[in-house]
Structure formats: structure tokens, C-alpha cells
Amino acid sequence: MGRPLEGIRVLDLTWAQQGPYATVMLSDMGAEVIKVEPREGELGRKVVAGAYPQPAPYFVAHDRGKRGVTLDIRKPEGRAVILRFVKEADVIVHNMRPGVMEKLGLAYSDVRAVNPRIIYASASSFGPLGEMAALPGFDIIGQAMGGIMSKTGAHDGPPMPAGAAISDQVGALYLCSGILAGLVKVARTGEGEQVDVSLYGAQIGLQAWGNHRTIHCWEESRSGGNGPPDRLRPELVVELCHE
């Protein structure tokens, strides 16, 4: 039995974790993922350099099963190669800060002009709009700004990061889901799609229950201790079970 994304080609301009984990899931589903790196290799190859055999486990976790090419996309020749790839691709994914791809001449409009069916997926820290849009960030920033750190740890303790890179990983799940939805659209209509996901937005979505409780009931959830912060009160569980 074949995998569901066999025949789909993904051009992967991502680095570190949020973007690469989204594309490695596409690879696991059968897509051909072509990872573009600078000549010195992307950051994930150097995480805890010297502590582990190469390639680093960090890189393997997020980039296994991909094809690879080194390319300087800052140069006109590199941009031209990317646009040649785009003609034969179904998806292009990047996690540059908003504005960077535009400066490189690889904005959605530039890519769509070459391939109107393309799924153009972007991952960032804070999304393309607002005063923080251009700011860089990584997992711990997403956890802090998204509020999950304030719900982790002891009730009377300071904010604590989760034991896994939950901001990057949840952002990657949202990004992968958006790409899959875009592929469904292009299969039905022949039209491409633009997908945008942020670390901040993904953390807000992750805490949907607690956020809505705060908004609608003016009841702010507290740190969870050794359990989820928004666990149901025993009396509410009894009430729900008898409805």
C-alpha cells in the first residue's frame, strides 16, 4: 500500500524546528521533500555540536527522509534556481521572518506567477501582521508570549517552560494541517493557496479551552501543578455526566 502523499513534491526552505518538523511529517506521508540549505548547512546540523555523532539527532528528528541541496538564495542565481524548482513543485515552505522572502524576490506573488497551483506555506513567530510581526523568535519565546509557561509548574511557582519544545511542535502540526488543506483545495479547484502559521497563534489555539473560559467567564486558569491547568472541578464532572 502506497503512502498518501506519494507524487507530491515539497520545496523546503525551513530551518531549526517549527518548519522542518512540518515538512518531515509530509515526508513520512510519502511526499518528496527537497530541503534547501546554505553551503555551511542549516542550524539544526550544529545543535550541541561535538556532543553527538553527526548528523546531530536534532537534525535527524526533523529532516530524515528528505533530499538535500545547498543553495545561496540571497543571490540572483540562487533565486532563479528556486523558481525553476517551483515550476515542478506542489508546495513551498519557509519559516523566515515576514518580509524576508519578499526582499529575496520569493514572495507568494512571485512564486504564484511561476506556478498558480503552488501551496505557499509560511511559519513565523508572530504572524505577518501587527507590531511584533518582524521580530525573530523560537520555541521558548512562543511558550512565554503564548502564555503556556504561566500554566506550567507549581501553583505558587514561577512560569515554567514545558518539558518539550511544545511551541515549535504544535506550530509544526498546524503548519502541516494547513498544507494538507491546501493540497485538498488544489486537487478540487486547481487553485493554489497561501498558508500562514505562527508560534504565538499556535499556542493560543493549544489553550483554546482555558482562553475561552477566561474570555467568557472572567475566570483565569492557574498553573496546573502535576495535572492540566484547566481540569474540570469534581462537581462539574458529576454535573456533566448526568446531563
Side-chain angles (χ1 to χ4, degrees):
M1 180 181 295
R3 291 182 289 173
L5 295 188
E6 287 182 0
I8 297 297
R9 179 171 290 168
V10 179
L11 187 58
D12 182 2
L13 276 65
T14 67
W15 60 284
Q17 189 163 344
Q18 181 187 19
Y21 193 69
T23 52
V24 87
M25 286 190 287
L26 298 175
S27 175
D28 289 344
M29 295 180 212
E32 178 189 18
V33 179
I34 302 169
K35 185 176 178 69
V36 179
E37 301 180 59
R39 178 169 295 181
E40 65 273 15
E42 72 114 310
L43 176 68
R45 291 184 180 272
K46 307 177 185 67
V47 171
V48 244
Y52 299 104
Q54 296 299 312
Y58 183 94
F59 186 80
V60 174
H62 305 131
D63 294 286
R64 62 185 183 276
K66 301 177 183 179
R67 298 180 183 273
V69 60
T70 57
L71 190 64
D72 189 348
I73 63 175
R74 297 168 297 181
K75 295 182 177 179
E77 299 88 345
R79 175 184 182 272
V81 173
I82 291 294
L83 293 178
R84 285 171 56 193
F85 273 127
V86 163
K87 291 180 180 179
E88 306 297 329
D90 300 285
V91 181
I92 180 170
V93 192
H94 76 87
N95 59 343
M96 312 286 188
R97 283 180 294 151
V100 171
M101 291 289 277
E102 286 76 7
K103 290 179 181 178
L104 294 172
L106 294 171
Y108 177 52
S109 57
D110 301 312
V111 171
R112 191 177 186 279
V114 174
N115 182 353
R117 295 173 57 90
I118 199 76
I119 307 302
Y120 186 96
S122 309
S124 63
S125 295
F126 298 103
L129 304 175
E131 60 184 17
M132 296 191 296
L135 295 178
F138 49 97
D139 176 79
I140 200 71
I141 300 297
Q143 289 196 46
M145 295 298 292
I148 193 71
M149 285 176 60
S150 68
K151 306 298 186 291
T152 306
H155 296 314
D156 56 351
M160 295 287 290
I166 193 168
S167 182
D168 274 333
Q169 295 296 94
V170 173
L173 291 168
Y174 275 87
L175 183 60
C176 183
S177 297
I179 292 169
L180 294 175
L183 289 171
V184 171
K185 177 185 176 181
V186 76
R188 289 179 172 176
T189 69
E191 297 181 2
E193 186 59 89
Q194 187 172 13
V195 176
D196 195 281
V197 170
S198 68
L199 295 175
Y200 179 74
Q203 289 304 287
I204 299 300
L206 175 66
Q207 302 168 84
W209 178 15
N211 290 337
H212 279 273
R213 188 176 73 182
T214 300
I215 292 168
H216 294 291
C217 304
W218 297 93
E219 180 185 353
E220 185 173 358
S221 59
R222 58 178 185 166
S223 298
N226 62 351
D230 296 310
R231 58 187 180 274
L232 294 174
R233 299 187 301 274
E235 63 272 20
L236 181 57
V237 172
V238 174
E239 179 182 338
L240 290 173
C241 290
H242 284 83
E243 286 187 350

